[in-house]
Amino acid sequence: MGIVLQNIPKEAGITRVEYEGPKIALYTKNPRFLYENNQIISNIVNSIKKRVVVRADKSIRKPESEAKDILSDNLPDEAKVSGIIADTALGEILIEANDPQFLVIDKGFDQLSLIEKTGWMLKIKKAPHIPSPTLQTIYHTIKAGSDERERIYKQTGEKIFRSRLVSDSEVSIHTLGGFQEVGRSSILVKSSESKILLDCGIHPGAKNPRDAYPRLDWADIDLGDLDAVVLSHAHMDHQGFLPALFKYGYDGPVYCSEPTFPLMILLQSDFVKLASMEGTSQLYDMKDVREVIKHCITIPYGVVTDVSPDVKLVLNNAGHILGSSTIHLHIGEGAHNLVYTGDFKYAMTSLFDSASWNYPRVETLIMESTYGAKEDIMPNKEEVEMSLVHSINQTLKEGGKVLIPTPAVGRSQEILLILDGLMKKGLLTESPIFTEGMISDATAIHVAYPDYLSRDLRKKIGEQGENPFISEYFTTIDHPSNRSEALQEGPAIIMATSGMLEGGPVVEYLAELAPSEKNKILFVSYQISGTLGRRILDGARQFNRPNEDGKIRIVDVHCNIERIEGFSGHSDYNQLMRYVSRLRPKLKQVIINHGEKRKVENMAYTISRLFRIPTYNPMVLEALKIY
Ligand code: ZN
């Protein structure tokens, strides 16, 4: 703070220098001066090597309603602004615009004068094309909890920027979940100064609590001692336990990418809703999910962020789902570099670029191995799409309906784009495509974060103003009473959640469509054993449905059942091997996780033999010293 104050001239009107989580916030009465002399801030950043942010001093802030009026009067109509949301904890106003490309200096937009007129900093964001209830919940909670968030930011900053107690570095990892298994991913990283939890998932198929949740009991740590939780992506098996941490006393920061935040809140909220509908005992409730919202600090890809006195964090694209990240920890002033891949796809998909591999340094790699067996080779994109075309056309031509059970986050958006593209090309028979369930909220979140999509899609959305998720073929069923539209006579494609026929609207459609030979159930995602999806795939030709009067009805399955493989957000065997070979300089060690025992063993054996790198495949409840 001494350096900061020494380097800033009086005209800057600095009133306070404050921690804002992992950043240093400079409060100013004269934002114009700092904007027009922006080399001052870059000099400070270069000399202190910390993230710095400029904030408007409270004394120049206009009351919220007045500031909003000023903005409404001055924002250009072409931008189609759909929301103006104030965040009082940061003194920042979020402007959601359908065409944010009109809110840039090149288009004559004078952001600085609006900052001066209102006394609030401005953040501009793309608005989703359809409402996202999850984003609304987040905005509301952030606003209501603004005092608490101010406290959390300050407390987090004080912890991060305290001076180091020891000079030498030691690093170990403790396997709490997701080793020699798929589910409840969680790793505790301990350095001389800090304790950081990477992922915190649940195991959806587990039979008892000891196998269902990360083994924090074994790690024997006080939740108050944790410096940070860092998340790789929004899937429940990587973050579903997080609200329980807050329920049991965690009060620290959660770091993740910008889209991971709303996507995980969507899935956690659905988890709470489902548990209350089934009347099963609740692991946590919405109160705990709101704590997650208040403690979440998002960071963009590629930005170096201090998360404890001796650990810096960088997130990079993992290519798996929207916002999925590889986690790079830089420990002890360069003593050791650890990269945890999370779930990753080392290949282009319709939605995302291939996972990042270009790390300046990495000594320890922790890598997933979902497809770690030699035979796990996926057909290429064209082949997969052609089998999709063939399968769907066959049913549509006979006037039947195709029901595709899909998880809300991940493959749904990819399949929507592929179906639309194939119909426009004339390869797929034209028919309406109906979606129901959390798919529409998740799709809205995809549109709200175009920066996290592939280069092609970014260009389409950003420069050409196109929205690939809007199509004449798509219809959203937003209420159960409208299902008749999707079910009326004639060919149609219906996509609904959940992906494994375990609850959700898909089961209602299944009950209507399964009895007729004309229709087809098309599985495009992995079916975990024990689920209705897996039972039907394995040949079950009847299932039970409770009627409205509570009586059980037996539904016969006469429709066609088919599965198409190859729509996966995971690297296949070849892609995993290629990824390891690509990393430079040479790795010191590899640790394999997130895979069935046989696959993990095969991956570890092959890497150590082929690349001559020491490779380990620990079980859950092991501790390894890595530096
Ligand atoms: Zn995943």
Side-chain angles (χ1 to χ4, degrees):
M1 291 195 182
I3 297 175
V4 171
L5 292 172
Q6 268 168 30
N7 278 284
I8 292 193
K10 271 218 158 52
E11 301 92 292
I14 298 294
T15 56
R16 285 191 294 150
V17 180
E18 193 92 67
Y19 295 128
E20 186 184 299
K23 299 182 203 166
I24 311 278
L26 308 182
Y27 283 82
T28 172
K29 284 186 177 177
N30 188 359
R32 177 170 290 275
F33 180 84
L34 285 176
Y35 269 76
E36 285 174 349
N37 299 279
N38 53 15
Q39 80 287 351
I40 297 178
I41 298 294
S42 34
N43 288 345
I44 294 176
V45 171
N46 283 335
S47 61
I48 64 172
K49 301 265 185 298
K50 310 269 178 252
R51 292 176 67 189
V52 171
V53 61
V54 175
R55 297 287 181 208
D57 190 74
K58 273 187 186 156
S59 66
I60 64 164
R61 269 190 221 168
K62 292 263 160 36
E64 191 183 320
S65 58
E66 201 178 317
K68 283 184 173 173
D69 287 344
I70 295 171
L71 289 173
S72 313
D73 292 344
N74 286 284
L75 292 168
D77 293 340
E78 306 95 295
K80 298 199 195 103
V81 170
S82 60
I84 299 178
I85 304 127
D87 182 344
T88 34
L90 303 180
E92 186 176 74
I93 290 182
L94 176 70
I95 300 169
E96 269 195 340
N98 284 289
D99 290 320
Q101 65 269 31
F102 291 101
L103 299 178
V104 294
I105 298 167
D106 295 359
K107 301 262 177 191
F109 176 65
D110 187 1
Q111 184 173 345
L112 191 49
S113 80
L114 284 179
I115 293 176
E116 276 187 319
K117 277 185 197 157
T118 59
W120 291 71
M121 297 320 245
L122 303 179
K123 189 175 170 186
I124 291 155
K125 213 182 142 300
K126 171 113 179 101
H129 60 306
I130 39 174
S132 160
T134 303
L135 285 174
Q136 292 309 320
T137 304
I138 289 176
Y139 297 151
H140 182 80
T141 310
I142 280 180
K143 197 169 167 56
S146 94
D147 289 349
E148 216 187 323
R149 279 175 54 245
E150 252 177 86
R151 174 190 65 80
I152 295 163
Y153 277 129
K154 214 168 156 203
Q155 166 189 307
T156 302
E158 277 163 5
K159 250 182 135 172
I160 294 172
F161 297 115
R162 71 166 167 79
S163 42
R164 290 179 61 178
L165 304 171
V166 280
S167 56
D168 65 331
S169 296
E170 267 187 337
V171 189
S172 62
I173 67 158
H174 300 240
T175 60
L176 307 188
F179 286 79
Q180 300 201 10
E181 64 181 356
V182 177
R184 62 158 169 173
S185 282
S186 191
I187 305 163
L188 176 67
V189 179
K190 271 193 199 175
S191 74
S192 317
E193 298 274 352
S194 20
K195 297 184 181 71
I196 293 170
L197 196 63
L198 308 183
D199 282 349
C200 189
I202 53 169
H203 192 312
K207 301 231 163 24
N208 66 68
R210 192 163 277 190
D211 299 325
Y213 311 125
R215 292 298 305 273
L216 284 149
D217 58 319
W218 171 79
D220 195 25
I221 46 161
D222 190 311
L223 289 177
D225 290 345
L226 271 182
D227 292 86
V229 179
V230 185
L231 301 176
S232 65
H233 67 288
H235 279 152
M236 287 301 278
D237 60 327
H238 290 258
Q239 59 76 18
F241 193 70
L242 188 59
L245 286 192
F246 287 96
K247 180 175 174 177
Y248 293 109
Y250 181 58
D251 186 31
V254 175
Y255 298 99
C256 61
S257 71
E258 292 159 301
T260 297
F261 183 16
L263 290 177
M264 77 167 165
I265 298 301
L266 169 72
L267 295 176
Q268 288 166 4
S269 310
D270 186 62
F271 183 74
V272 170
K273 209 163 50 185
L274 228 81
S276 76
M277 265 160 54
E278 285 169 2
T280 47
S281 73
Q282 300 259 22
L283 182 58
Y284 46 78
D285 58 32
M286 279 311 287
K287 179 168 80 17
D288 308 305
V289 175
R290 284 194 291 274
E291 287 306 311
V292 174
I293 296 177
K294 285 184 238 165
H295 288 79
C296 192
I297 298 176
T298 60
I299 40 186
Y301 286 157
V303 173
V304 183
T305 301
D306 290 275
V307 293
S308 79
D310 66 341
V311 179
K312 289 178 195 297
L313 162 71
V314 188
L315 301 179
N316 278 298
N317 172 39
H320 171 63
I321 61 167
L322 186 73
S324 64
S325 319
T326 63
I327 297 174
H328 179 182
L329 299 182
H330 177 89
I331 305 167
E333 311 290 336
H336 197 78
N337 284 268
L338 165 74
V339 169
Y340 164 47
T341 62
D343 294 355
F344 78 110
K345 177 80 171 177
Y346 189 47
M348 285 273 293
T349 56
S350 303
L351 284 182
F352 307 112
D353 292 334
S354 182
S356 309
W357 56 272
N358 207 354
Y359 304 98
R361 265 183 60 191
V362 42
E363 286 87 39
T364 298
L365 175 73
I366 305 179
M367 185 174 80
E368 67 125 321
S369 59
T370 315
Y371 293 108
K374 282 214 166 46
E375 66 274 16
D376 292 334
I377 312 281
M378 268 171 232
N380 69 37
K381 211 162 152 275
E382 289 70 32
E383 288 173 62
V384 179
E385 290 188 12
M386 282 333 288
S387 31
L388 185 76
V389 167
H390 183 75
S391 170
I392 294 179
N393 278 350
Q394 202 181 25
T395 303
L396 294 181
K397 272 181 192 137
E398 285 160 23
K401 294 190 195 309
V402 180
L403 176 64
I404 308 179
T406 35
V409 177
R411 309 283 63 84
S412 315
Q413 288 74 27
E414 182 175 12
I415 287 170
L416 277 174
L417 288 197
I418 291 174
L419 292 178
D420 181 55
L422 293 170
M423 274 188 200
K424 281 187 180 139
K425 274 189 215 153
L427 292 168
L428 197 62
T429 311
E430 286 194 319
S431 84
I433 302 170
F434 296 95
T435 58
E436 190 180 339
M438 294 179 294
I439 296 173
S440 72
D441 198 347
T443 306
I445 295 168
H446 279 68
V447 173
Y449 296 93
D451 291 352
Y452 287 80
L453 298 169
S454 71
R455 195 185 312 197
D456 290 354
L457 288 175
R458 269 197 317 264
K459 223 167 147 186
K460 254 191 203 157
I461 299 174
E463 290 167 26
Q464 297 153 17
E466 267 178 54
N467 183 339
F469 297 102
I470 293 178
S471 159
E472 50 178 326
Y473 303 117
F474 300 163
T475 307
T476 306
I477 303 292
D478 50 11
H479 194 269
S481 61
N482 298 333
R483 277 181 196 144
S484 50
E485 195 188 337
L487 290 168
Q488 67 190 344
E489 257 315 291
I493 299 171
I494 301 170
M495 289 171 62
T497 54
S498 68
M500 299 182 201
L501 303 180
E502 292 285 281
V506 74
V507 187
E508 311 296 329
Y509 288 106
L510 179 71
E512 294 294 327
L513 300 176
S516 164
E517 288 163 13
K518 273 203 300 194
N519 301 324
K520 178 178 283 175
I521 315 294
L522 188 58
F523 291 101
V524 292
S525 59
Y526 186 72
Q527 303 295 308
I528 289 182
S529 74
T531 59
L532 178 58
R534 178 63 169 263
R535 290 203 301 277
I536 289 184
L537 199 54
D538 287 348
R541 287 297 168 261
Q542 275 185 340
F543 67 97
N544 295 336
R545 276 274 327 117
N547 268 342
E548 270 162 31
D549 56 10
K551 283 195 188 120
I552 298 290
R553 167 165 74 104
I554 293 171
V555 182
D556 291 311
V557 181
H558 294 301
C559 66
N560 297 289
I561 310 291
E562 223 175 292
R563 168 171 61 173
I564 291 186
E565 295 214 60
F567 290 110
S568 173
H570 293 276
S571 304
D572 75 0
Y573 175 80
N574 287 337
Q575 291 157 356
L576 289 169
M577 295 304 284
R578 222 174 294 143
Y579 191 76
V580 175
S581 73
R582 201 70 197 268
L583 298 180
R584 294 281 180 282
K586 198 179 169 193
L587 295 161
K588 293 231 167 68
Q589 62 199 331
V590 180
I591 296 161
I592 304 293
N593 75 340
H594 198 285
E596 291 161 16
K597 191 167 185 285
R598 186 174 62 85
K599 308 206 174 189
V600 169
E601 278 167 0
N602 177 59
M603 210 18 49
Y605 172 74
T606 317
I607 291 173
S608 58
R609 202 179 44 110
L610 235 60
F611 303 122
R612 303 197 179 282
I613 304 169
T615 304
Y616 309 96
N617 53 322
M619 297 185 293
V620 177
L621 306 192
E622 287 196 45
L624 289 86
K625 186 168 186 296
I626 59 170
Y627 180 78

